[in-house]
Amino acid sequence: MSNILGAYHDYVKALVARTFCPLPSTMVSTVDTEKEVANYNSYLEFYKNAKDDFIKAVKPLIEKILGIKMFFDQYPAKMKGMRPQLLITNVSNEMMAKASNIPRFTTYLNTVNAKNDFNNTIWYAIFPNVSLDANSRMKLTRERFRGNKIVQKEDVTSVEALARILDVMKDYRIQTFFSYETGDKTTFNAMATEGIDRFVTRCNSLIGKPFSEFAIPCMPNLTVIPKDKSGVILDKKMFLNDANLAQLSDAKEDIMKLWIDGVYIGASYVAAGLMAACQCPEYLKKKFKRNVDTELPGVRFDIEAGDNSLRVRTTLAKEITGFTNSIKDDINRKNFGFVFSSENAEFEGQNITDIMVYKARNLLYDPEYGVYEPIYKTQVTTYIERILRHATGDFKQDNIVKFFSTNPSSQKSQWLSKRDKVNAIIGEGDDINYVIDEQNGICTLDITFNGNIKNLEIEINRLTSTAHV
């Protein structure tokens, strides 16, 4: 390709020199101006098509790189304490979701998430570019060459592939932030006019499933270059004027333009980065200055509560001046998804110029209250289960009793003593109780969040237990 483009530039250089510079009369007679103009236009068309193909191939990669950068912008790599780590798979999500690869994926997750060593445990996953077609299916073959038919975007992942991967990751309690394909249909501007109904509809096939609690739809995507401002003028076509001389055309249809089709960042990158950062006590201490325990992760941190969203903001500048009241009322009624806002706000005497978090919910729907569950509830439940397994030697019954005892040195008592902290595990209005069913060997944890109870069942290890008080 580089040789072809180099030849094109050499040809155009010589063509322009012949066309616009005075030439000896012996040479003029040898130049077929009409043919030269036709060749120029033909080469220009080829050059434009080559650039178009290059942009189509490179743009998805650029958006991925920008997404990764945004993850680390929210959770800086130089952060003290819990430093961020991001694992990047070397296969597409569609390939990973194939039946032949699921066992390999499961084997890997067993090595990192099914152990009491939490150094390499995966807590979050980022799943960008999900198809806007709710009924999309995994493709057996892909269209690789451009022809006369419309080719579907290569980098988009089917909803079916997302569901397959979620079904695996739920067993390892990995919360998955996913966002829909980038473009002008998933931006702040689109959501400001259409609301979130499009996203709710697209998630219908993922609601009411065993994995729904671990599926977090993120919206809207963030804009770097909007589609309507992504045109680049490449050149103009030539034509023969009345004097039979070559001349650049000023006609609108003769202006050769490249359309980048906009550059966007998947909301899942930003959401995962921000929520991962909130687990780090040093990050919370930087945002809240005081009343943060340096030893506790921010798993209970509810970004929707109080003024938390005003303190913990993204690094991205506002895109619009806010949603209308009717759009916000609809978002509040549905309490759906991980929703970013671009609002006019003031905090501690300063105007907020950053994009903030408006909602932070997963797809676990509570029909009694008509709302989706806040993501922090899943985080707390996962954290308690993992700490309990580690501290009790894989759920030994006598150690479970000690874990929840009223002894000041018990884990529950230590958590209760710090309930006034920003990153408390058991916050104000929260509690943890347990019931042991000895006959069936089951311990049921009742984790209370501001009066709402979430249950967790664990299988008791009674092999070394002889008696308990």
Side-chain angles (χ1 to χ4, degrees), residues 352-368:
I352 303 299
T353 59
D354 305 317
I355 289 173
M356 300 177 291
V357 177
Y358 196 66
K359 295 292 176 184
R361 309 292 176 109
N362 57 42
L363 291 181
L364 181 60
Y365 185 70
D366 186 342
E368 181 179 352

Side-chain angles (χ1 to χ4, degrees), residues 75 273-281 283-284 297-299 301 303 312 423:
Y75 194 176
L274 195 63
M275 290 299 95
C278 289
Q279 309 316 306
C280 177
Y283 177 85
L284 292 177
V299 291
F301 181 74
I303 199 166
V312 179
N423 55 335

Side-chain angles (χ1 to χ4, degrees), residues 190 213 335 339 396 420 438:
E213 178 183 1
N335 278 314
V339 181
K396 292 177 182 176
D420 62 325
E438 294 196 32

Side-chain angles (χ1 to χ4, degrees), residues 273-320:
L274 195 63
M275 290 299 95
C278 289
Q279 309 316 306
C280 177
E282 293 296 328
Y283 177 85
L284 292 177
K285 190 174 181 180
K286 183 179 178 181
K287 298 296 182 181
F288 287 85
K289 310 301 182 187
R290 56 178 183 233
N291 209 29
V292 175
D293 190 280
T294 57
E295 297 180 356
L296 295 177
V299 291
R300 173 61 178 83
F301 181 74
D302 180 8
I303 199 166
E304 289 186 35
D307 58 9
N308 289 348
S309 64
L310 295 171
R311 292 180 181 272
V312 179
R313 309 186 298 272
T314 74
T315 60
L316 294 157
K318 291 190 301 182
E319 293 188 21
I320 60 175

